[in-house]
Amino acid sequence: MSRLITTSGFLRVFRLTLAATLGTVLLSSCVATPSGSDAPGQSTGNAESNEGNGASENGNGRSPIATALTNAAVGGENLRFDIYSLERHSPEVLVLTMGVTNIGQSEARVFHTLSEFGDYGEEATSPSGVSLIDMQNHKRHMPLKLTDGKTCHCSNWKGQENLPPGESIEIWAAYPAPPENVELMAVMTPVTPDFLDIPITEAEAPDSSIVDMPVDKPRILDFWAFQDDINGGTSRSETGDTTSIMLSSDVLFELNESTLTDAADERLRAVAEEIDASSATTVQIDGHTDNTGNDSINNPLSLDRAKAVEKRLKELITRDGITFEVTGHGSTKPIADNETEEGRAKNRRVTITFAK
């Protein structure tokens, strides 16, 4: 069995894993599509139908194409998140419009939830942390920024920290548009389940004030699919054209040793078969340790383990024309907390990276 986490890098994996864990514990939520919408239905967590929950339209009478219901533990807010549209306003600019409605019986301190919408290091009163996922091209589109490189080209809800029962606020963000043949995107927010398969439509009245605003260089990130074997031993991450397989050193080697175990052979045979089937001409192998011990031990141990994996892969791979790049990093590139045994186990690894 495995679990799939989507992100644009390992720091994002940690952030989104944490957010997903908190969401499972703290939120009772669903994502759904109103009856009669062209968008396909979708559900996450405790899924419910929109029938009878008041999600057919917001406080201003607008009908959403997708909805997430959230009961947030912080402040006890009862909020509904609606997506109204994802529109092309020009060949270069896509605009996402969302609404947030207080479906509770008392005033909601909406700021406590919406503050999570901000991207790291940015003002917590804009949706700068909401991204669009192009599954077709394995890309993550971040909101456009103004020419100062800091300010999100999006709405700002500063001064709207409290939301009375039944009231709504509307938010929007501008994004670099995907290729013309992309018709659906996923919407990823830090406080709701992912909205899948949101249709892209053409704006009937493109907003020139949004389209003509000078902006910084668009941020379109490689979209990583990160799959972690819950039984331990193997994880993998993928971008559009690269595969990276992480093998636990605890499976490959005995403690403080660099001789491959019998169990390692089965794992490496599977990797070799995948490399044989790929277009790769170069295979990069990186050895890593936890921070136990010192550099004089960890650095050579990580290199020796990477070389042991290289040697066995050379024996298992059947096609010619492949070169290897081998590096030992010691404890300098952890992907988990070295203060816990679970984290140290994740950091003891050999990573094999190659083109698809």
Side-chain angles (χ1 to χ4, degrees), residues 253-314:
F253 308 99
E254 299 292 345
L255 181 65
N256 295 326
E257 296 294 332
S258 58
T259 300
L260 290 167
T261 64
D262 293 339
D265 211 56
E266 180 181 353
R267 306 292 177 109
L268 293 179
R269 285 182 185 277
V271 175
E273 290 176 2
E274 194 165 346
I275 293 173
D276 273 333
S278 74
S279 64
T281 56
T282 301
V283 175
Q284 180 179 332
I285 303 176
D286 296 275
H288 304 269
T289 68
D290 61 27
N291 67 348
T292 305
N294 54 49
D295 290 347
S296 64
I297 296 174
N298 291 334
N299 291 345
L301 178 62
S302 64
L303 180 59
D304 289 345
R305 287 178 167 180
K307 287 181 176 179
V309 170
E310 175 198 24
K311 181 176 183 296
R312 185 59 179 140
L313 285 178
K314 283 182 175 179

Side-chain angles (χ1 to χ4, degrees), residues 28-349:
S28 172
S29 58
C30 75
V31 176
T33 303
S35 300
S37 169
D38 292 334
Q42 44 185 306
S43 63
T44 299
N46 301 321
E48 302 174 2
S49 166
N50 277 353
E51 183 178 356
N53 67 13
S56 61
E57 60 182 31
N58 76 349
N60 297 321
R62 292 191 64 180
S63 297
I65 59 174
T67 292
L69 299 180
T70 302
N71 291 317
V74 179
E77 297 93 342
N78 290 279
L79 302 175
R80 189 180 74 234
F81 296 82
D82 300 315
I83 293 182
Y84 302 136
S85 63
L86 182 60
E87 296 180 321
R88 290 183 189 270
H89 282 240
S90 78
E92 294 78 29
V93 178
L94 203 64
V95 178
L96 171 70
T97 305
M98 299 182 69
V100 182
T101 301
N102 179 2
I103 60 173
Q105 301 300 312
S106 59
E107 188 172 72
R109 291 185 296 157
V110 66
F111 175 78
H112 289 279
T113 298
L114 293 184
S115 64
E116 297 297 328
F117 266 59
D119 203 1
Y120 281 139
E122 297 189 19
E123 189 175 9
T125 56
S126 71
S128 57
V130 179
S131 57
L132 305 180
I133 307 300
D134 175 1
M135 298 298 293
Q136 186 172 324
N137 296 294
H138 304 282
K139 298 293 182 181
R140 184 181 188 191
H141 293 232
M142 301 303 295
L144 293 168
K145 292 185 178 181
L146 303 184
T147 52
D148 61 6
K150 299 179 181 179
T151 306
C152 176
H153 189 19
C154 51
S155 58
N156 190 303
W157 55 76
K158 192 170 184 178
Q160 296 177 291
E161 287 82 358
N162 299 314
L163 195 61
E167 293 295 314
S168 302
I169 62 171
E170 188 168 302
I171 57 180
W172 63 269
Y175 297 83
E180 187 175 354
N181 65 337
V182 176
E183 298 179 349
L184 301 170
M185 297 189 84
V187 177
M188 182 184 295
T189 88
V191 297
T192 69
D194 296 341
F195 295 86
L196 306 179
D197 295 335
I198 301 301
I200 299 173
T201 58
E202 296 293 329
E204 294 183 3
D207 191 329
S208 60
S209 66
I210 293 177
V211 172
D212 297 337
M213 179 68 70
V215 294
D216 200 15
K217 181 180 179 181
R219 291 183 298 162
I220 301 178
L221 311 175
D222 285 335
F223 178 67
W224 290 56
F226 181 84
Q227 193 172 28
D228 189 9
D229 182 355
I230 63 174
N231 295 318
T234 306
S235 301
R236 61 188 296 124
S237 59
E238 298 183 10
T239 65
D241 54 7
T242 302
T243 296
S244 185
I245 298 175
M246 291 177 289
L247 302 175
S248 169
S249 293
D250 295 352
V251 173
L252 298 178
F253 308 99
E254 299 292 345
L255 181 65
N256 295 326
E257 296 294 332
S258 58
T259 300
L260 290 167
T261 64
D262 293 339
D265 211 56
E266 180 181 353
R267 306 292 177 109
L268 293 179
R269 285 182 185 277
V271 175
E273 290 176 2
E274 194 165 346
I275 293 173
D276 273 333
S278 74
S279 64
T281 56
T282 301
V283 175
Q284 180 179 332
I285 303 176
D286 296 275
H288 304 269
T289 68
D290 61 27
N291 67 348
T292 305
N294 54 49
D295 290 347
S296 64
I297 296 174
N298 291 334
N299 291 345
L301 178 62
S302 64
L303 180 59
D304 289 345
R305 287 178 167 180
K307 287 181 176 179
V309 170
E310 175 198 24
K311 181 176 183 296
R312 185 59 179 140
L313 285 178
K314 283 182 175 179
E315 296 168 349
L316 294 171
I317 293 172
T318 60
R319 66 182 177 89
D320 298 326
I322 295 179
T323 59
F324 291 81
E325 298 176 355
V326 181
T327 307
H329 300 276
S331 62
T332 61
K333 294 187 175 182
I335 58 170
D337 186 1
N338 270 311
E339 298 303 313
T340 67
E341 177 51 43
E342 181 182 7
R344 290 191 293 272
K346 287 183 178 292
N347 290 332
R348 298 188 295 266
R349 68 200 190 277

